[in-house]
Amino acid sequence: MAILAFYLSMSMHYKVGGVFILAVFILSGCAGSRPVSSSRMTTDYNSYNEDLASVRPVYGSTSTTSPVASRPTAPATPTTTPRKTDTRKPNAPIEALHINRRLDLVLDTIATQNRTIRYAPGYRIQVYVGNQRQEVDGAKLLISQNFPELSPYLTYNQPTYKLKVGDFMRRLDAERYYNSIRRLIASAQLQPDKVDIRRSLLIK
């Protein structure tokens, strides 16, 4: 405040503008509100130490030479011997047995229906198409000698003979045989067809 009174008296004496007085007043106020710097206090976190022995769990008995023995320990729980596994089957509720019987009945019905299904969509390899009986017989003999596991299917729709071989449920298996047959008969073709499920299981 003494500095402010000094500046006011100087401004009245020298007729200094009001802006200068205002600037000096603000600067003196800021200078007075500056905090005094004090020495920084440091905290050593490495010196923290707390005894947690009362809350630590204790497993079994401890030896007297271990450092844990000097600390107070909580009372250990008594150890129990493991129980023998019960080999007897628990008595199932009547309702569960009833559901199991119904489920077995449904599964048996599905299995019976599946056994009656003879044909399914699959693939066969068409080896020959033409009207020459000798050529179709030669192709059939050639396939039976090189691929005895493939069943031949010969159809005749006058005047055309068609010879197809194999019962493949998967296209991957059909393509494997198809590549081998094409080395012998270049006109062979892979075609989708209805195949015999039981014979398809015999193809390795």
Side-chain angles (χ1 to χ4, degrees):
M1 293 299 291
I3 297 171
L4 181 60
F6 172 73
Y7 283 127
L8 285 173
S9 64
M10 288 295 288
S11 64
M12 296 184 98
H13 189 293
Y14 293 105
K15 295 182 181 177
V16 181
V19 176
F20 178 72
I21 295 172
L22 183 61
V24 170
F25 178 69
I26 292 172
L27 288 175
S28 64
C30 292
S33 65
R34 194 185 316 167
V36 180
S37 63
S38 61
S39 61
R40 291 194 325 191
M41 299 178 63
T42 58
T43 305
D44 186 13
Y45 291 104
N46 294 329
S47 64
Y48 175 78
N49 189 9
E50 184 177 350
D51 188 13
L52 300 175
S54 60
V55 294
R56 286 193 185 119
V58 178
Y59 302 101
S61 61
T62 56
S63 62
T64 56
T65 58
S66 64
V68 182
S70 61
R71 299 178 186 158
T73 60
T77 57
T79 58
T80 58
T81 57
R83 293 187 303 172
K84 294 181 179 179
T85 57
D86 191 7
T87 56
R88 295 176 301 169
K89 292 183 180 179
N91 295 329
I94 299 173
E95 184 179 355
L97 291 175
H98 177 63
I99 292 173
N100 287 343
R101 283 193 214 101
R102 289 177 59 191
L103 183 60
D104 289 339
L105 181 63
V106 170
L107 292 176
D108 290 341
T109 306
I110 293 173
T112 306
Q113 290 176 354
N114 288 341
R115 278 193 286 270
T116 60
I117 298 174
R118 180 85 186 267
Y119 297 97
Y123 299 92
R124 283 186 179 151
I125 301 170
Q126 183 173 277
V127 176
Y128 177 81
V129 176
N131 53 7
Q132 299 295 323
R133 179 71 185 189
Q134 292 81 12
E135 290 181 11
V136 74
D137 288 340
K140 186 176 179 180
L141 181 62
L142 184 63
I143 294 297
S144 63
Q145 288 174 350
N146 291 285
F147 306 99
E149 67 273 15
L150 300 181
S151 303
Y153 297 94
L154 179 62
T155 59
Y156 177 68
N157 188 5
Q158 189 176 2
T160 306
Y161 292 97
K162 285 186 181 180
L163 178 63
K164 296 181 181 180
V165 294
D167 294 277
F168 304 102
M169 297 290 292
R170 298 184 303 173
R171 187 179 179 89
L172 186 65
D173 297 333
E175 286 178 349
R176 181 164 49 92
Y177 276 94
Y178 173 64
N179 293 330
S180 302
I181 290 174
R182 280 208 58 177
R183 295 191 191 105
L184 300 174
I185 303 171
S187 61
Q189 294 179 350
L190 180 61
Q191 295 180 348
D193 204 338
K194 282 189 176 182
V195 298
D196 192 334
I197 297 175
R198 295 174 189 172
R199 290 186 180 178
S200 70
L201 299 175
L202 300 176
I203 300 174
K204 301 297 181 184

